[in-house]
Amino acid sequence: MTKNIFGLTLTELKNELQPGGFPPFRAKQIVEWLYQKNTYDFAAMTNLPLPLRQQLTDLYTIETGDVIVKREAKDKRTTKMLLEFTDKAAVETVLMRQNYGNSICVSSQVGCNMGCTFCASTLNGLQRNLTTGEMLAQALKSQELVRKDNERINNIVIMGSGEPLLNYDNVLGFIRLVHEKYCMDIGYRNITLSTSGIIPMMRKLADEDLPITLSVSLHAPDDELRSQLMPVNKRYKLENVMKAADYYAEKTKRRITYEYILINELNDNIAQAHALADLLRNRLANLNIIPINPVKERNFDRPSPQRMKTFLAVLDKRHVNYTVRKEMGTDIDAACGQLRNAYLDAENE
């Protein structure tokens, strides 16, 4: 039975090849083909001897999945792909071409079981965790697209479908691998991980001594509303999530990003804006305001421009450091889970 080697580190590949008598430098050549040249066929690795290429073909596979759906926004700045793996599990990744570089949003699980009421990713539940290699495949498929323009991926956001901290080991393996120079050479400070607030793993991540950006999904300034929107809050209360985020900021000296999806007449009134300002006061924090990208099954609407203006005016008056997320890819269902759900619905018809 052949073994998939895609997603192995250089050290892991050397250890894998050693019993077969392969010289260690061959592992370096192979990872360069895989991760730098996006070549997934041993026969095309031309600096390897022909007998070795055949031997590798007999022993190993290179499984990167297949892009089964690709959608490009009208402005050509956003591309969304649905990637299917050998077990027919499908995940989404989004490439965003921005003024400050090319960013990708990577999924960490197939589906999600967090149950957030505004999110499309949870509609079909959790199928399984993704491996390090399956997350890397999303990144490298995106890398192939920008390479055509002699560009590279500059930033990675682990904010697609799934809760990354519930797939901790694979996600951490992915972060360390894309950082390696023989892989994508992404600086840790250019990697963001988003969590709904899994407190024990937030603290564990803080102790890893990796200066990645932690993004916390907030979406409400109090426990009652947050528990309605995010069932995880019933287990991990807001006050304790904030303390875990403070611990992360203290350990890493990195500013925490707090995500706040703005939903019409639910979390966007003046009192809630003041409560949000109180919550973030004296914290090392950036606030990212996200007007909701409506999901048809969820029946939530975005606020009117006037309601949003009034909400933001409070934040300005309270000197909150915030940005409003620029919308990208709304014409291609770029919100997490929308493309996968449409594909599943079509399959089930």
Side-chain angles (χ1 to χ4, degrees):
M1 184 176 178
T2 56
K3 178 178 180 179
N4 176 32
I5 62 166
F6 188 82
L8 296 184
T9 65
L10 177 58
T11 299
E12 289 169 342
L13 186 56
K14 284 179 179 178
N15 292 337
E16 175 64 37
L17 297 179
Q18 186 178 19
F22 298 98
F25 75 91
R26 294 299 186 194
K28 182 72 168 8
Q29 292 175 313
I30 293 168
V31 296
E32 287 175 351
W33 281 108
L34 293 177
Y35 305 149
Q36 294 182 7
K37 300 176 183 178
N38 303 118
T39 299
Y40 311 128
D41 181 359
F42 291 117
M45 299 180 183
T46 52
N47 60 351
L48 302 180
L50 273 173
L52 176 57
R53 283 182 254 171
Q54 185 57 55
Q55 192 176 359
L56 289 168
T57 302
D58 293 340
L59 293 173
Y60 301 109
T61 59
I62 302 169
E63 297 174 15
T64 62
D66 297 309
V67 177
I68 56 173
V69 181
K70 184 170 76 171
R71 293 183 180 174
E72 189 166 304
K74 292 177 182 177
D75 63 7
K76 307 295 185 184
R77 298 186 66 187
T78 305
T79 304
K80 187 162 194 175
M81 293 179 286
L82 190 66
L83 192 60
E84 186 177 73
F85 299 108
T86 53
D87 65 350
K88 302 302 179 182
V91 297
E92 302 166 54
T93 187
V94 182
L95 165 65
M96 296 158 285
R97 301 167 179 87
Q98 296 160 318
N99 295 334
Y100 55 83
N102 296 307
S103 300
I104 53 173
C105 184
V106 173
S107 295
S108 57
Q109 296 179 310
V110 184
C112 184
N113 65 354
M114 300 310 293
C116 298
T117 59
F118 49 81
C119 183
S121 296
T122 67
L123 288 171
N124 289 287
L126 175 67
Q127 187 172 341
R128 65 172 175 85
N129 285 333
L130 290 172
T131 66
T132 292
E134 288 168 338
M135 283 179 272
L136 180 62
Q138 297 174 62
L140 291 186
K141 298 289 185 184
S142 301
Q143 180 96 306
E144 288 180 61
L145 293 180
V146 299
R147 178 171 287 152
K148 297 173 184 177
D149 298 318
N150 295 315
E151 295 179 1
R152 56 165 293 177
I153 299 300
N154 306 99
N155 304 285
I156 294 178
V157 181
I158 310 171
M159 200 181 286
S161 295
E163 166 53 68
L165 293 185
L166 292 182
N167 186 16
Y168 189 89
D169 290 341
N170 286 318
V171 167
L172 201 65
F174 167 70
I175 290 170
R176 294 188 187 279
L177 184 53
V178 295
H179 175 70
E180 294 287 353
K181 289 190 179 299
Y182 62 78
C183 192
M184 296 184 72
D185 194 22
I186 304 287
Y188 285 131
R189 292 177 182 272
N190 295 93
I191 299 173
T192 298
L193 182 148
S194 176
T195 181
S196 59
I198 311 299
I199 291 173
M201 309 316 288
M202 290 170 67
R203 292 182 172 275
K204 184 176 181 180
L205 183 64
D207 293 334
E208 296 283 356
D209 197 28
L210 294 175
I212 67 171
T213 298
L214 182 67
S215 179
V216 177
S217 295
L218 203 54
H219 309 318
D222 61 80
D223 275 320
E224 182 179 359
L225 179 56
R226 193 167 189 265
S227 292
Q228 291 177 30
L229 293 172
M230 304 175 66
V232 68
N233 194 72
K234 297 172 184 176
R235 180 172 183 182
Y236 299 118
K237 297 297 184 184
L238 181 56
E239 179 183 0
N240 295 327
V241 170
M242 300 303 290
K243 287 179 179 177
D246 290 343
Y247 178 75
Y248 188 92
E250 180 184 345
K251 289 282 290 186
T252 64
K253 311 304 181 200
R254 299 283 286 161
R255 190 178 294 270
I256 304 296
T257 296
Y258 292 94
E259 308 280 346
Y260 196 93
I261 288 180
L262 215 54
I263 305 172
N264 186 50
E265 297 186 359
L266 188 64
N267 65 353
D268 65 341
N269 65 38
I270 292 174
Q272 289 163 330
H274 279 290
L276 182 58
D278 290 338
L279 189 65
L280 298 180
R281 187 171 52 203
N282 299 325
R283 285 191 151 98
L284 191 63
N286 286 320
L287 177 63
N288 191 9
I289 298 291
I290 309 166
I292 190 168
N293 192 345
V295 176
K296 63 180 180 180
E297 296 90 348
R298 295 305 195 184
N299 297 317
F300 288 140
D301 296 319
R302 67 178 55 210
S304 66
Q306 184 56 50
R307 285 187 71 87
M308 191 179 304
K309 183 178 179 180
T310 302
F311 189 90
L312 297 178
V314 173
L315 300 183
D316 288 328
K317 184 177 180 180
R318 296 290 303 275
H319 305 292
V320 175
N321 184 25
Y322 75 88
T323 57
V324 178
R325 181 180 290 179
K326 185 177 180 181
E327 294 181 76
M328 297 186 72
T330 54
D331 58 321
I332 55 170
D333 292 337
C336 295
Q338 287 184 314
L339 183 57
R340 176 174 178 263
N341 289 341
Y343 175 74
L344 292 176
D345 290 344
E347 286 283 287
N348 291 328
E349 284 181 358

